[in-house]
Amino acid sequence: AFRIHANPDRPMDDWIDYYDSTHTIYVSKLHRDVHFRVIASDILAYVPSPDAVVLDYSCGEALSAAQVAAACQKLILAEPAPGVRGRLTARFGPNPKIEVRSLDDLQQLPNGSVDLAVMISVAQYMTPAELDRAFGLMRRILKPGGKLVLGDILRPEVGAATDVIALLKLAAKNGFLTDALWGLARTALSDYWQLRQSIGLQRYGETEMMAKLKAAGFSPSRAKTNVGYNPARMTFVATAPDMASKKPETA
């Protein structure tokens, strides 16, 4: 989830290592399956046409990616964690509509080659400078009028208790409430909370994120509903400019 170029001196690398390990962020297999199914369903609402090229930036396990791929021409799953990337390749290798790439691979994508890019639950693991660089990449590879969907943005005023409540509501709705209660207890003692305390998560207010997207050259708006199951978080839809209507920049 977390950057375009590696820097071994950065502690934020620990988030990649965490998600590449046997972690406890999902309280059960059912929780994991429901999580990715909800996200895939929400992404589908943004796929503009069956001919679209879609990029999922820092996609994680992307268990329901085949559902998204069925609605577009090509789905690029970009993932920084090598272990996760290997599982994606094994899982989706037979699907001709899905490509699995590293984040560095995205530098090779041609200008204006992507119709829709999604970054779901990614920004909190990146520094502001890393996020700006990712936005710059998205602006380059998106077609004029293409869209970046930036989902699950943590707000400064919303704490961990709200995340817990959202998880318990999802669990009650989908039949894994007991697992969720046990899982929360396990997670409280896990590396996740240690990392969350030591490294932290990036949070953005609506005005701040809108300004950040505008500075990257996008025309942004906040979506009415968040991608994913946590309504306390935010999703933004940023439209790439029509470069043909702009004068070329001088060096």
Side-chain angles (χ1 to χ4, degrees), residues 81-93:
V84 176
R85 201 162 58 242
R87 290 193 292 275
L88 291 169
T89 300
R91 187 179 301 129
F92 298 117

Side-chain angles (χ1 to χ4, degrees), residues 157-206:
E157 69 274 17
V158 177
T162 304
D163 294 343
V164 170
I165 292 169
L167 170 61
L168 293 176
K169 287 182 177 179
L170 181 76
K173 181 178 179 180
N174 290 277
F176 60 93
L177 183 58
T178 300
D179 286 338
L181 293 169
W182 281 110
L184 285 168
R186 286 196 308 271
T187 302
L189 302 173
S190 73
D191 291 344
Y192 174 81
W193 285 107
Q194 294 175 28
L195 285 172
R196 187 159 173 165
Q197 293 299 319
S198 63
I199 298 176
L201 298 173
Q202 292 290 333
R203 298 171 180 272
Y204 296 93
E206 179 177 350

